[in-house]
Amino acid sequence: MGDMTATAARRVLLAAPRGYCAGVDRAVIAVEKALEQYGAPIYVRHEIVHNKYVVQTLEKKGAVFVEETAEVPEGSIVMFSAHGVAPVVHEEAAERRLATIDATCPLVTKVHKEAVRFAQEEYDILLIGHEGHEEVIGTSGEAPDHITLVDGPKDVENVEVRDDSKVVWLSQTTLSVDETMETVDALKEKFPQLISPPSDDICYATQNRQLAVKQMGAEADLVIVVGSRNSSNSVRLVEVALGAGAQAAYLVDNADEIEEAWLEGVSTVGVTSGASVPEVLVDGVLEWLAQRDFKDVETVKAAEESIIFSLPKELRRDLRAEATTLSEQSAESEAASGQ
């Protein structure tokens, strides 16, 4: 460690933009506001956003996370996560007499509307995305008979459509831009008349975070992406970093998951975070690095972000009263039918 030049060269590149996107910010605030306005419990169907820390923090405040609508007691308030839900979930909630708050990201809702419109026009819709991801399940549910999931370029050869002059592609909002275009190119080769959505479905935040990581990854020996394993956009940032030339890239939920061994022979560390990650977790990583002499932090800026989404409309009225009324109506109708 006596070599001063080696120590002097240690630096951190911090990606911007990173962390919370507008849709996540809106969804997290929506849960907090609902708890303030209506008190606990507020049921949330699926993790509000794909981040362990955020979910645990909201649980402590009184949010109850469930996988299925059936787990929510009648007459309660249920919130739908930022990833969106299939229409059948809205029906289930209505049947259970639940008051609902829809925290679906507006950019996901846009893709849902595209799916509905193209299905009405009798198109075959090729949805590029990851099988089993909540967003994909929600979008597919809008038009199950018209949608075929394409999970990367390898899936293209098996895709079949009814009429290859009426084919459109849509995508999950959190994919890697490059891989998605690779899939689109392969689809165009197979279906030359394939049309594209009116605007690219991959959201601004996903694209900006990938752009910043590309710039950073080209210079970094090691890239640390803060994010949870089930966060699609965070996992993509690791892939993009490696593709951009980083020697190594890892996904960590927080500083506790960083391994000392990763720093061996490393002078430049890149740091970024996924779209559902609070900045406090990034601060923890920067502190961890500073304790190991990576104190020089330089921001790598790829874009400006000023997008803000207004809160779900349901937070502007009295839902508890609505939930109570719904369950009272339900009790009355059951009493009436029971006589």
Side-chain angles (χ1 to χ4, degrees):
M1 280 296 181
D3 187 350
M4 283 311 291
T5 51
T7 343
R10 289 184 180 181
R11 60 173 184 154
V12 176
L13 300 178
L14 183 60
R18 65 180 173 277
Y20 272 17
C21 60
V24 164
D25 197 39
R26 169 182 188 261
V28 174
I29 291 172
V31 180
E32 292 171 341
K33 280 251 182 291
L35 286 164
E36 271 169 39
Q37 266 169 267
Y38 306 124
I42 296 288
Y43 290 87
V44 182
R45 187 187 175 284
H46 194 73
E47 294 191 351
I48 187 71
V49 297
H50 285 155
N51 184 270
K52 227 193 274 185
Y53 175 89
V54 172
V55 168
Q56 288 167 353
T57 306
L58 292 170
E59 273 176 340
K60 286 182 192 131
K61 292 182 180 178
V64 179
F65 293 89
V66 298
E67 284 307 311
E68 296 305 332
T69 319
E71 299 172 57
V72 183
E74 284 213 2
S76 305
I77 297 177
V78 67
M79 188 177 291
F80 299 136
S81 79
H83 314 99
V85 295
V88 61
V89 176
H90 286 276
E91 289 158 26
E92 291 168 1
E95 277 165 28
R96 286 193 72 76
R97 305 287 200 280
L98 305 174
T100 58
I101 301 173
D102 191 349
T104 303
C105 172
L107 299 177
V108 172
T109 302
K110 172 184 84 89
V111 182
H112 280 232
K113 287 180 171 156
E114 288 170 354
V116 171
R117 183 165 65 85
F118 284 114
Q120 280 168 349
E121 294 171 18
E122 285 301 324
Y123 275 83
D124 271 310
I125 299 163
L126 307 179
L127 177 62
I128 301 170
H130 296 297
E131 194 167 356
H133 189 279
E134 282 69 43
E135 188 190 323
V136 164
I137 294 166
T139 303
S140 302
E142 292 288 356
D145 303 340
H146 290 79
I147 293 181
T148 303
L149 181 64
V150 184
D151 196 340
K154 64 179 188 323
D155 258 9
V156 172
E157 55 181 334
N158 304 320
V159 176
E160 286 174 23
V161 299
R162 289 168 297 186
D163 175 355
D164 53 17
S165 70
K166 297 207 74 174
V167 192
V168 61
W169 70 270
L170 299 176
S171 89
Q172 187 181 326
T173 59
T174 52
L175 301 180
S176 136
V177 180
D178 294 339
E179 196 190 349
T180 302
M181 292 329 289
E182 205 182 306
T183 306
V184 170
D185 291 342
L187 286 169
K188 281 187 174 154
E189 226 161 272
K190 187 168 180 175
F191 307 109
Q193 292 165 283
L194 178 75
I195 69 165
S196 301
S199 68
D200 191 343
D201 292 334
I202 296 176
C203 82
Y204 78 94
T206 301
Q207 297 190 38
N208 289 344
R209 277 151 195 68
Q210 288 175 14
L211 202 59
V213 161
K214 263 189 184 170
Q215 292 179 12
M216 193 177 74
E219 292 186 60
D221 306 308
L222 163 71
V223 171
I224 294 172
V225 178
V226 186
S228 291
R229 301 277 177 285
N230 62 339
S231 161
S232 177
N233 79 87
S234 303
V235 172
R236 302 287 85 72
L237 290 175
V238 173
E239 297 169 0
V240 171
L242 292 168
Q247 299 299 301
Y250 300 99
L251 184 64
V252 299
D253 255 297
N254 53 51
D256 298 343
E257 294 184 1
I258 307 173
E259 294 179 24
E260 298 273 355
W262 297 348
L263 293 178
E264 274 170 37
V266 166
S267 60
T268 300
V269 179
V271 175
T272 190
S273 57
S276 45
V277 177
E279 192 63 6
V280 59
L281 300 180
V282 175
D283 294 339
V285 168
L286 295 177
E287 277 165 35
W288 188 95
L289 288 167
Q291 285 162 9
R292 285 149 188 87
D293 271 344
F294 286 83
K295 295 190 172 95
D296 176 19
V297 180
E298 185 186 320
T299 301
V300 176
K301 193 157 200 168
E304 287 287 347
E305 284 182 358
S306 55
I307 295 177
I308 296 171
F309 294 132
S310 59
L311 281 173
K313 60 186 184 308
E314 301 91 348
L315 289 167
R316 303 174 214 152
R317 52 177 214 245
D318 190 353
L319 272 197
R320 275 283 174 230
E322 283 178 42
T324 309
T325 312
L326 283 170
S327 58
E328 280 167 2
Q329 284 168 351
S330 146
E332 281 165 25
S333 60
E334 275 164 31
S337 61
Q339 281 165 1

